[in-house]
Amino acid sequence: MGKQDNCRAAVSLSVATWNASLPAGYRLYLPKEWAEDFTRRKETEVPKTVWEPGQQPLSAKPRGRTGRPPRLLRRSNQHQPVSVKQLAMSLPSTAFTEVTWREAGERKLRSRFAAVRVRAAHRDYEKAEPHAEEWLLIEWPRGEAEPTKYWVSTLPPTTKLKALTKMAKQRWIIERDYEELKQELGLGHFEGRNWRGFHHHATLCIAAYGFLVAERTRFSPSARAGHLGFVASGPAADFHPRGSPGPS
């Protein structure tokens, strides 16, 4: 697990609407010294590359005269996947479009984006069929020497660039909710060094937050201002509080 300060970070999968989010999966995060250690990354099979648009692994070798027919996909010295950065840098400037995804106060949040259809290359040489095509969304702000962010998405091929961008930038709601998880429910207060304990702590915090999110969505904003309108059922006809005189 490495040093204790590296055990406080995790990566999660969240489900989100335009107003709220909730982590659905939570696992310990790969620390920086691991992310930059290519030997460790290779040993632990951390994926790094994709096939360019229109490309995929080579088909299986032709069947020989004897034996079972080959079925696994192949690569060659001349036919290899590329990193997402290499792909992004190879795109023409016309591939990038300025998109505004939301307003924050008096200013509009905008940047340049490009979206291309790619196939993940991770261990596809162990498969008989290539990975399905998906979106690779690239952000390259004006004035930057290279792209700054990348996303992959399984949204339909007909999805427009602005919709892809808006969905990717929806992360701000997740980040906002994580602050509340940490500050109000103690998600960031775990100080142990045990893998199981770390995930138990996270599970309980997320369950509590899920309850709060569900309660909030039950009522309109005006109802939450102090007029919740709870309806309490009356006591059963034969109910008598403990210590009270019995029925006459």
Side-chain angles (χ1 to χ4, degrees), residues 72-91:
L72 298 181
L73 300 171
R74 299 176 296 128
R75 302 176 184 180
S76 70
N77 291 336
Q78 294 75 35
H79 192 79
Q80 291 285 331
V82 299
S83 70
V84 291
K85 180 179 178 180
Q86 287 176 309
L87 174 56
M89 298 292 283
S90 71
L91 294 175

Side-chain angles (χ1 to χ4, degrees), residues 99-102 137 159-168:
V99 176
T100 299
W101 64 89
R102 76 180 175 93
L137 179 66
T159 307
K160 301 297 184 181
L161 179 62
K162 186 168 184 176
L164 275 172
T165 302
K166 189 176 180 180
M167 190 67 71

Side-chain angles (χ1 to χ4, degrees), residues 51-72:
W51 291 102
E52 298 176 84
Q55 297 292 328
Q56 65 182 49
L58 298 172
S59 58
K61 293 181 179 180
R63 182 172 184 173
R65 293 184 178 181
T66 60
R68 300 176 64 181
R71 56 184 296 272
L72 298 181

